[in-house]
Amino acid sequence: MSKRHSAKYKLDRRMGENLWGRPKSPVNQRAYGPGQHGQRRKSKVSDFGLQLRAKQKLKGYYGNITEKQFSRTYEEATRRKGNTSENLIALLESRLDAVVYRAKFVPTPFAARQFVNHGHILVNGKRVNIASFRVKPGDVVSVRERSRSMALVLEASQSPERDTPDYIEVDTKQLTAKFVRAPELAEVPYPVKMEPNLVVEYYAS
């Protein structure tokens, strides 16, 4: 399993935004970048720089996705009919770890990946331990019965930090979530503005 070696909140500070909308984010106190040069005056960013930033922000939001995995997701989005940027978001939100996070089974995307990898999640009653597993409309994702009393799960399910989006139907008592449909960009509750159109431009250039 690949891991991001730098602290996840460094990405918040590098982007200057609270990516996951969490109260603990250092951006809430320090809006400048990390490191000894973090407070230097920012120079004008080129078009390529904006595209790269948009890609890093979207990829970083979903946790420990590797560049290879992310570029493969983009390639699949280009092969599908319709708007590539909308397809990209739909594919990212269809990942099993993303559904687990959206359903509030765990508090962060990083925890969602680990939770899936450790075998705590069932899809249509069968255990799946691959975070990138593609969930289809109508699939039911659930927490294994023996895992439902974990402190991580209880903390996330009771947290008022975020709401469950309309494209996932959650039974909070049974800890099950039905993936209703792949969402459009406007439906995804990102705490910050995502620009998948710039991500498409980055890969297309």
Side-chain angles (χ1 to χ4, degrees), residues 15 79 82:
M15 297 297 164
R79 290 193 294 268

Side-chain angles (χ1 to χ4, degrees), residues 162-181:
R162 55 195 170 91
D163 298 320
T164 305
D166 292 340
Y167 50 91
I168 297 176
E169 294 178 354
V170 178
D171 184 331
T172 55
K173 291 184 179 179
Q174 297 299 318
L175 288 179
T176 63
K178 181 180 180 180
F179 189 65
V180 179
R181 66 183 187 284

Side-chain angles (χ1 to χ4, degrees), residues 25-205:
S25 174
V27 171
N28 297 335
Q29 284 82 36
R30 295 169 292 182
Y32 50 86
Q36 62 178 333
H37 303 299
Q39 297 187 63
R40 287 192 306 185
R41 183 179 297 173
K42 295 179 181 178
S43 56
K44 187 177 180 182
V45 182
S46 65
D47 288 344
F48 175 79
L50 291 172
Q51 294 162 4
L52 176 61
R53 176 188 169 87
K55 190 266 292 186
Q56 295 292 69
K57 187 163 68 168
L58 186 61
K59 180 169 78 75
Y61 177 84
Y62 286 94
N64 291 316
I65 300 181
T66 64
E67 178 60 36
K68 189 174 183 180
Q69 287 175 322
F70 193 75
S71 61
R72 279 180 178 172
T73 305
Y74 163 75
E75 288 167 6
E76 185 173 345
T78 62
R79 290 193 294 268
R80 294 194 170 196
K81 292 182 179 178
N83 184 292
T84 301
S85 60
E86 290 285 354
N87 290 344
L88 178 61
I89 296 300
L91 288 169
L92 289 169
E93 285 293 305
S94 300
R95 287 174 56 98
L96 179 55
D97 56 356
V99 175
V100 168
Y101 173 62
R102 293 289 179 220
K104 292 182 68 175
F105 294 158
V106 292
T108 68
F110 302 90
R113 183 183 180 97
Q114 189 175 50
F115 200 65
V116 173
N117 287 343
H118 289 182
H120 298 295
I121 290 295
L122 307 176
V123 178
N124 299 327
K126 295 181 180 180
R127 191 171 72 161
V128 178
N129 60 2
I130 301 170
S132 59
F133 178 87
R134 190 65 42 75
V135 181
K136 301 180 184 66
D139 283 351
V140 176
V141 176
S142 58
V143 179
R144 278 203 315 171
E145 191 168 351
R146 69 176 67 176
S147 306
R148 294 176 186 176
S149 59
M150 292 175 64
L152 186 77
V153 177
L154 297 174
E155 175 201 341
S157 61
Q158 295 168 9
S159 171
E161 277 184 28
R162 55 195 170 91
D163 298 320
T164 305
D166 292 340
Y167 50 91
I168 297 176
E169 294 178 354
V170 178
D171 184 331
T172 55
K173 291 184 179 179
Q174 297 299 318
L175 288 179
T176 63
K178 181 180 180 180
F179 189 65
V180 179
R181 66 183 187 284
E184 297 179 355
L185 173 61
E187 297 178 281
V188 182
Y190 293 120
V192 298
K193 183 181 179 181
M194 293 295 181
E195 299 170 293
N197 57 309
L198 294 181
V199 179
V200 173
E201 290 176 14
Y202 171 84
Y203 283 111
S205 61

